[in-house]
Amino acid sequence: MSELTESDVAARARQFVAARRSATTLDGYPGAVPDSLDDAYRIQDCAISLWDDSVVGWKVGQVRIEHREKFGSDRILGPIFKRHVRHASDKPDMPLFDGAFAVVEAEYIAILNQDTPTSKAEWTPEEALAVVGDLRVGIETAGSPVPALNEYGAAAVVSDFGAHGGLVIGPSIADWPERNLDALECETFVNDVRVGSGGPRNLDLGIARSIQATLESTARRGRALKAGHLISTGATTGVHAARPGDQVRVCFGSDGEVRCQIKAALPLQ
């Protein structure tokens, strides 16, 4: 398994950042896809250093079961940037690439109640839930200038900011520590057409595992989490294609509803 050179890492990171800044679609993945998550995170870290915004949390994705042995992980991460976070009460427009990879996901979003140290790289699910002060419902918009990015595999997704686009934060889940999180339900609608249903039970080992994996992965990368940081725990009704102009609505039963409209990403000023 070859390791990318620093020059290779920097070149890929610059291409992703330039494409996102200019809202330009790429013809395909730029160069050879990384062989490992280590190389993929090196590209991601380099791209984060080139992006003019602060990281306020992490989105979590699941690695396909058949690829977990190869990559040595069941979860992957991407950064959530401050200016990409919106609140459901604002009825936000969310930008995604027009003609490239653009999807929406129903999410449960953990908000941390304390800082976490980089010196602690092993957590139990119970310890992970204990650092969560609030659990909210929401929508993640995921996108990439690379069409069909998911088809290139988990390492490709990681390298391009984890394919993160934006996050819409909805209301808090009342009494969540006392509830059976795997019993929570949600449904996703695009243009009033029901495209998926499910809940945290669709995440292997549930919400707690996503938080645990985030705490462990960020610690190993030397990226401390702070009180108030967000963890978007994973797609719970599936990954649903979206285009500019689409209206997205996720119903979380008694825990509320979150809406947004998709718009075409524009070049950053």
Side-chain angles (χ1 to χ4, degrees), residues 6 25 45 90 93 107 118 120 143 209 220 238:
E6 291 302 320
T25 299
D45 285 336
D90 296 330
D93 291 339
E107 297 277 338
T118 57
K120 181 176 173 59
R209 171 58 191 152
R220 293 183 183 119

Side-chain angles (χ1 to χ4, degrees), residues 100-266:
F101 181 67
V103 300
V104 294
E105 305 172 3
E107 297 277 338
Y108 292 85
I109 303 162
I111 302 179
L112 301 191
N113 60 13
Q114 60 186 268
D115 298 353
T116 63
T118 57
S119 59
K120 181 176 173 59
E122 293 185 3
W123 294 73
T124 66
E126 295 75 18
E127 288 174 331
L129 285 176
V131 302
V132 176
D134 192 9
L135 187 65
R136 297 196 173 208
V137 297
I139 296 172
E140 181 194 356
T141 56
S144 169
V146 179
L149 178 70
N150 271 354
E151 296 180 10
Y152 291 92
V157 173
V158 165
S159 66
D160 183 21
F161 290 117
H164 185 64
L167 193 65
V168 184
I169 301 177
S172 298
I173 299 174
D175 303 321
W176 69 267
E178 286 74 48
R179 295 173 66 180
N180 176 5
L181 299 183
D182 285 339
L184 300 178
E185 298 277 352
C186 55
E187 296 178 294
T188 301
F189 298 82
V190 176
N191 298 327
D192 289 326
V193 176
R194 185 174 179 267
V195 294
S197 64
R201 65 181 180 277
N202 287 345
L203 306 175
D204 290 346
L205 302 178
I207 287 173
R209 171 58 191 152
S210 292
I211 299 167
Q212 175 193 19
T214 302
L215 297 174
E216 293 178 343
S217 178
T218 53
R220 293 183 183 119
R221 293 165 64 193
R223 291 188 171 276
L225 296 178
K226 302 293 184 182
H229 272 187
L230 311 166
I231 299 176
S232 189
T233 57
T236 55
T237 69
V239 174
H240 312 294
R243 299 179 61 187
D246 284 348
Q247 302 282 341
V248 181
R249 172 168 56 96
V250 182
C251 300
F252 294 90
S254 62
D255 296 308
E257 182 177 279
V258 180
R259 296 173 179 254
C260 69
Q261 178 169 312
I262 305 303
K263 68 176 184 179
L266 299 175

